[in-house]
Structure formats: C-alpha cells, structure tokens
Amino acid sequence: MSSLSIRNVRKSYNNGVEVLKGIDIEVEDGQFLILVGGSGSGKSTLLNMIAGLESVTSGEIRFGDRVVNDLAPKDRDIAMVFQSYALYPSMTVRENIAFGLSVKKVPKAEQKETVRRVAETLQITHLLDRKPGQLSGGQRQRVAMGRALARKPSLFLFDEPLSNLDAKLRVEMRAEIKLMHQKMGTTIVYVTHDQIEAMTMGDRIAVMKDGVVQQFGAPQDIYDNPANLFVAGFIGSPSMNFVHCTLNEQDGKVSTVIDNAGVKTEVPLPFSLEKLRAHIGRKVIFGIRPEQITDTRSAHSETGQLLQCRVELTEPTGPDTLITTRLNDAAVTCRVHPREAVHAGASMTLLFDLSKATLFDPDSGERLS
Ligand SMILES: Nc1ncnc2c1ncn2[C@@H]1O[C@H](COP(=O)(O)OP(=O)(O)O)[C@@H](O)[C@H]1O
Ligand SMILES: [Mg+2]
C-alpha cells in the first residue's frame, strides 16, 4: 500500500515536444485516482512514468516517502492492466493468474490459495481450467485483472481497461472494479477518456488536456465547481450548456438579455456586481447544466427564472425527457419530467435555477463566478 506524489513532473520525447508540462498530483494511500482527458492529453505517458516504463524528464514521483524516478518497473511493486489483455494463449486461466507468482517462486500451496481467492473475488472460479481463446472479452479482462490482483501490489495501474468492451459490460465491470477496490483498499491510478467512468469510480479526478492538469479534485467538487470552460464541458452528460451573452448592470444588479425564438427577456443573474464590474458591457459565456433547467412541477428550487421557451427537440431517456431549446442561438438541453414534456414545435415554461449557473471568460476560458 502506498500514497502517490507527482511533483512538477515534465516529459519531453526526443523530438523536443513537451507532452507533460508540470504535473502536480497527490493521492493518499488507498485512494482511487482517475486520469481523464481526450486522446493525446498525456494520460498514458503519465501512467507509464508511474510504472517506470517511461523516463521522467524532470520532477519527482514518490511512492510513500520513496522517490522512484530511477527505479526499474520490477522494483516498484506495481501491477498494470491494459486495454489489450495480453494473456498467455497457451496457458489456462489458472496458470495465467498464477504466472507472476510462479516466476517469483512462491510456494505452490500459497499460489493455489491466491488463485482461489482472486478467482472468487472476480467470480471466475468456473473458468479456471479454460484457455483465453474460450473466453469472452469481459471474461478475459477479468482474468487480466486477476493476474494483477494475485501479485498484491502496492499500486494498481489501469490504462483504459474497459475500452474494448461493449456498453453493458463496461457498466458492470466499472462497478466490479470499484467493489474490488473497496475490498482490497489498494491505491489505484486509472486512465480513461470516459468522463462517466471518471465520475463514478474515482475518489480523485485529474482532468487533463494538452499535458496540463486542468483541475484536480473530488468528482462532485469538479462537477459542481469546474475551474474552466474545458472542464465544465468535459465532465457531465449531457454537457453543460454554454450561452454567449453580454453582461448588463440593472438596478445595481448583474443581468443579461436572453433571446428565445425572437423574444428577448432581461434576466437578473445572482452574481456579485462588485466581482464582475470589469465585465459589465462585455461578452461572457453563461454556463448552466441540463438538470438546472426543468419544468415547474419537478423543480427542486422555488426560486429561479421562468422563461417561456420554444421546444426544438424532445428526447425521452426513460426517467427524464431531454428537451432542446435555443437561447441566443445556442442549443440548450433541459431535463424535464416525461409527463411535462411538450412536443417539438410547442412552447413550454421552463424554470432556470440560476443559483448554480456559472460564467466564463470567452477568451481565456477561466471561470469568472
Ligand atoms: N514515444 C513517443 N514519442 C513521441 N511522442 C509521443 C510518444 N508517445 C506519446 N507521444 C505523444 O505524447 C502525447 C500524449 O500521448 P499519450 O500519453 O499517449 O496520450 P493519451 O494516453 O492521453 O491519449 C501525444 O501527443 C503523443 O503523440
Ligand atoms: Mg492512452
């Protein structure tokens, strides 16, 4: 078991391009860290540096008190699971799981007990005598995890382990990995491009873009208080709505004009005029999540702004219906009760909970309030 510190870590490949630009991440012993971001953001590079498969150009990686920058992968006490399962095709599941142990010359009886325990945890006991070729994708991924688990590492590293699985299995495996973590309590670093995996699995999330951690924190904090436009748009599904507007001052308060189907309404915004004075008369991006715009009957909040809106699209998801309207030319998704949703082309009264809305600077993308 081990805590993990990543301090001002940088990585340049031989072509001179810097792909990690000063990464700082601290996780406690037993935490589940997610590195999430789009393709090419540097997630795998960082994970491989933690594993010792890539050198550290500058900065420091520590497991507990120990700097591991120059430690060989085999001396780091880690286990890694990749998107491709890399099982030995000629060995049975039992032999695959025990492989690392037999290499380490662990006594046979102990190997047997470990395989039993791991197979039970992952519910693959009935598959122990099969070969990888006789398994489904999900079962193979479980065996790959079993092989990692058998080694009782102090750090587990996962690189997009569920990307090859179909949607339903991915959801199941997501829960199983989380349950496994609750049972074992081993520190995990888990790479994914899937923000739902990030939200649902992690204790801590590092949202990455272009080799920079955009925000590091607990999932709900990041969801509720995104640091910038990128994080706000990346975390959450459907995404946060972004509406370009101009800030006004009206009766000592901040307001803005919202246009829906040609009807303009001056909407007061619950932000501090003092903080935003420099932005009055200027363009900003107004951000609001779909669940903060709802029908009047299922609204959680009594307060908010009512707007009569023309509905362009209706998408039932089962528990909710997503409707799309258009504000200042931006398509805006709202989450309403299925019973309250009207048909496309009709108009409905929507309640905007502005208390959780956010404003962003359109140039820098930084959050203004
Ligand atoms: N061996 C390498 N040599 C040069 N550039 C590399 C190498 N490996 C990765 N990169 C570059 O580093 C960046 C980050 O890659 P990677 O860590 O694989 O991103 P991710 O896992 O987030 O998709 C990419 O721009 C990629 O092209
Ligand atoms: Mg990758």
Side-chain angles (χ1 to χ4, degrees):
M1 306 268 268
S2 184
S3 59
L4 170 68
S5 307
I6 299 170
R7 296 187 187 161
N8 197 19
V9 160
R10 292 171 184 274
K11 177 70 181 180
S12 307
Y13 284 107
N14 295 335
N15 57 10
V17 179
E18 195 170 41
V19 298
L20 292 177
K21 301 166 184 166
I23 306 289
D24 287 295
I25 292 172
E26 301 273 336
V27 288
E28 289 166 24
D29 189 6
Q31 278 187 328
F32 197 137
L33 167 68
I34 304 270
L35 305 177
V36 67
S39 175
S41 55
K43 308 178 298 291
S44 294
T45 300
L46 183 57
L47 194 76
N48 290 338
M49 288 162 87
I50 298 169
L53 302 172
E54 282 288 354
S55 64
V56 177
T57 306
S58 71
E60 205 172 77
I61 299 179
R62 284 172 188 254
F63 295 174
D65 301 333
R66 186 156 162 237
V67 178
V68 298
N69 286 34
D70 299 318
L71 215 56
K74 67 175 175 44
D75 298 325
R76 293 194 184 199
D77 195 17
I78 50 163
M80 213 161 166
V81 179
F82 299 93
Q83 181 179 343
S84 57
Y85 322 116
L87 300 174
Y88 298 103
S90 62
M91 293 183 189
T92 63
V93 168
R94 187 189 308 280
E95 288 162 346
N96 265 285
I97 294 176
F99 183 73
L101 305 175
S102 62
V103 168
K104 279 205 268 177
K105 305 229 169 0
V106 171
K108 278 272 178 313
E110 193 181 328
Q111 284 189 32
K112 210 172 153 192
E113 172 52 25
T114 303
V115 171
R116 191 198 60 74
R117 172 181 57 79
V118 165
E120 203 167 282
T121 307
L122 295 169
Q123 297 168 35
I124 51 174
T125 307
H126 61 296
L127 304 176
L128 283 174
D129 294 315
R130 291 201 201 167
K131 301 247 171 92
Q134 300 165 295
L135 303 176
S136 70
Q139 291 169 332
R140 277 182 222 170
Q141 189 55 288
R142 243 172 255 202
V143 177
M145 275 170 44
R147 195 171 50 183
L149 276 176
R151 298 177 42 198
K152 284 203 202 146
S154 52
L155 196 60
F156 262 122
L157 306 177
F158 289 87
D159 196 348
E160 312 231 10
L162 309 184
S163 300
N164 282 345
L165 307 180
D166 65 50
K168 186 166 180 289
L169 195 55
R170 220 159 47 215
V171 173
E172 279 172 32
M173 289 293 285
R174 191 165 89 194
E176 276 184 33
I177 294 175
K178 190 163 182 176
L179 279 170
M180 176 199 87
H181 176 249
Q182 285 170 12
K183 269 191 221 160
M184 317 268 299
T186 310
T187 314
I188 292 181
V189 184
Y190 186 105
V191 165
T192 180
H193 64 270
D194 178 348
Q195 57 85 24
I196 297 182
E197 275 179 30
M199 276 300 289
T200 53
M201 296 172 86
D203 295 314
R204 290 288 179 278
I205 303 179
V207 183
M208 296 180 62
K209 180 179 172 241
D210 299 335
V212 175
V213 173
Q214 303 289 315
Q215 190 168 4
F216 174 62
Q220 196 69 45
D221 283 346
I222 291 183
Y223 186 82
D224 290 338
N225 297 299
N228 58 40
L229 203 55
F230 174 77
V231 176
F234 190 79
I235 300 285
S237 175
S239 287
M240 185 184 277
N241 299 298
F242 297 124
V243 179
H244 287 261
C245 57
T246 304
L247 284 190
N248 303 325
E249 179 184 344
Q250 196 193 39
D251 308 329
K253 294 206 170 103
V254 183
S255 68
T256 190
V257 174
I258 296 287
D259 180 329
N260 178 264
V263 179
K264 292 185 169 64
T265 311
E266 181 99 36
V267 176
L269 300 175
F271 302 118
S272 151
L273 178 61
E274 285 318 301
K275 269 179 66 184
L276 289 170
R277 191 165 293 284
H279 295 274
I280 297 298
R282 299 181 56 182
K283 292 208 181 315
V284 295
I285 295 174
F286 170 76
I288 186 162
R289 294 207 181 270
E291 66 270 26
Q292 289 151 10
I293 314 171
T294 187
D295 58 275
T296 51
R297 288 226 306 202
S298 39
H300 292 297
S301 132
E302 302 283 288
T303 60
Q305 176 70 36
L306 292 173
L307 276 184
Q308 194 65 28
C309 292
R310 208 182 103 88
V311 174
E312 289 188 353
L313 182 70
T314 303
E315 298 169 283
T317 68
D320 307 304
T321 294
L322 301 175
I323 64 159
T324 306
T325 184
R326 191 163 292 275
L327 302 179
N328 295 2
D329 245 1
V332 169
T333 304
C334 324
R335 205 183 264 279
V336 307
H337 193 281
R339 225 179 21 231
E340 303 296 316
V342 301
H343 291 291
S347 164
M348 89 179 265
T349 305
L350 292 170
L351 182 73
F352 289 66
D353 178 1
L354 299 175
S355 66
K356 287 185 181 156
T358 40
L359 294 181
F360 300 95
D361 185 313
D363 299 322
S364 67
E366 290 306 305
R367 183 170 174 170
L368 297 172
S369 71

